[in-house]
Every structure is written in C-alpha cells, then in structure tokens.
Amino acid sequence: QVQLVESGGGLVQPGGSLRLSCAASGSIFSIFDMGWYRQAPGKRRELVAAITSGGSTNYADSVKGRFTISRDNAKNTVLLQMNSLKPEDTAVYFCNVELRGGSLRVLGYWGQGTQVTVSS
C-alpha cells in the first residue's frame, strides 16, 4: 500500500512563509515526477510546481521567484518552500507523486490536501 502524507499548511500573514512537505510510504520501488497542485474555491486545480527524477523544475508564472520545490529521495519526500505569500495563494494544496509501487505499474498518487490561508 502506498500512502502520501502532507503537512505544513496553516494560517500566515501576507509576506510570510510556509513549507509544505509530502512523504510517500509503503511498497515503493521507484519515484519519478513529483509536484504540487492547488485548488481555491470555485476554481480549477492548477499545477504550482513540479520536479522530475533528474531534478528539473517547472513553476507556474504566479509563483516564480517566491516558491521553491525540492525533493529528498532518501526520504521519498517532496517539499515546497513558499515565501512572500500573498492572499491569492490561499488554497488547498495537494502533492502528486508518480511512482512504481507494489503493482509494478507506474501510477500517480495524490496526497490528502493541506489548507494554506494567507490573510491579515
């Protein structure tokens, strides 16, 4: 069984910082691409940042220069450092991990979501 557990969300003032963490556990043979998505009320889920197994990164234009995605392969973890947070960053953030698990098939898995609220 594969499980993704997210942590790090919360309430922060504009200009503040948060770090989100997503750890994969269970029967995992290989992890490929990893990413963070977010969804605000009434809006579509959008890609925030992604990182490949080779370390290449991609960011949404709205977060470039403020957010940094990284991974710790030894811990099967993907991180999202969020700085200079704005009210428009308020959303539920979901991690997504593409991996080969016990089924031996490459599948995508979603975390449970963590709420990030930016407000004064």
Side-chain angles (χ1 to χ4, degrees), residues 1-53:
Q1 300 294 317
V2 175
Q3 184 178 28
L4 305 185
V5 178
E6 299 181 19
S7 63
L11 174 65
V12 66
Q13 293 184 338
S17 298
L18 286 173
R19 188 176 77 163
L20 305 184
S21 176
C22 175
S25 62
S27 182
I28 300 170
F29 297 99
S30 302
I31 295 181
F32 301 98
D33 294 351
M34 309 173 89
W36 288 94
Y37 295 73
R38 67 186 181 188
Q39 187 166 24
K43 297 184 178 180
R44 300 173 63 186
R45 186 172 299 185
E46 64 175 352
L47 177 67
V48 177
I51 184 167
T52 70
S53 59

